[in-house]
Amino acid sequence: MEDLLELNYGYLFEEELINEIKALGAVKHVQQGERLIDFGDHIKFMPLLLKGAIKISRQDDNGDELLLYFIEKGDTCAMTMTCCLGQKKSEIRATAETEVELIMIPVEKMNEWVVTYKSWRNFVFESYNSRLTEMLEAIDSLAFLNMPERVEKYLRDKVMINKDTELNVTHQEIAYDLNSSRVVISRILKKLEKEGKIELLRNKIKVLEF
């Protein structure tokens, strides 16, 4: 843990804060596809990501799910911070996009560190800013892109997050993330394959252009 913590956060945080994280944080390993946080959970920790990527999604009043953004190593989740500070139940679902290693920070340290450490305060504000930008991009995608364009953007984002052009994702999973139907997504993917942009494999998609 210490090496990854120093690598990903050593340039951001004071030595005293790094030492507190080492003393108080608990390391957790999560397999791909495993849920870390679900809708309605009482959040008892805030994640600091050391390795891998996490998908953050939101649920509407009808129970439909929509992808908000991904967080990668060196990041944390602003939505989780908001729930922690407001002592509210989780309004997001966090799912391991890849195999993940993270440090779990007790939520009671949140307010204390904002006051005590300037670097933590800057990190929190920057995290809010980054996640807000990503959520605005998600809104823009919904408002201004048609579904084929959204699917292409989704595949490009997945390639960047997974660092692999061969994606382990089903048509149904894409439909869930984009709040669409499997039939619509399958039709779009077949069209993209005919255009030579992707290759459809069994429960996988190989992105040829991104």
Side-chain angles (χ1 to χ4, degrees), residues 86-115:
Q87 297 183 335
K88 300 187 299 181
K89 291 182 179 180
S90 173
E91 298 177 355
I92 56 97
R93 171 176 287 161
T95 308
E97 175 71 11
T98 64
E99 185 177 343
V100 165
E101 185 173 349
L102 52 84
I103 301 177
M104 299 185 294
I105 306 297
V107 296
E108 56 267 21
K109 304 304 293 185
M110 289 277 297
N111 286 329
E112 179 185 326
W113 286 354
V114 167
V115 174

Side-chain angles (χ1 to χ4, degrees), residues 69 71 76-83 124 127-128 131-132:
Y69 51 78
I71 59 174
T76 190
C77 178
M79 294 289 287
T80 304
M81 287 182 176
T82 302
C83 294
V124 169
S127 294
Y128 275 123
R131 301 295 86 79
L132 176 60

Side-chain angles (χ1 to χ4, degrees), residues 1 35-36 40 83 129 134 182 191:
M1 176 190 81
R35 289 178 186 170
L36 292 85
C83 294
N129 182 62
E134 289 169 340
R182 187 189 60 77
K191 184 174 183 293

Side-chain angles (χ1 to χ4, degrees), residues 42 45 77 99 127 143 162 190:
H42 288 282
F45 70 90
C77 178
E99 185 177 343
S127 294
N162 288 272
K190 288 176 183 176

Side-chain angles (χ1 to χ4, degrees), residues 45-79:
F45 70 90
M46 194 203 70
L48 287 181
L49 203 54
L50 297 176
K51 185 173 68 175
I54 297 173
K55 179 175 70 177
I56 306 297
S57 55
R58 175 106 185 216
Q59 194 175 49
D60 64 17
D61 293 337
N62 297 319
D64 295 321
E65 196 171 332
L66 180 66
L67 171 66
L68 293 179
Y69 51 78
F70 294 97
I71 59 174
E72 298 181 86
K73 62 181 181 180
D75 290 338
T76 190
C77 178
M79 294 289 287

Side-chain angles (χ1 to χ4, degrees), residues 98 123 171:
T98 64
F123 175 67
H171 298 195

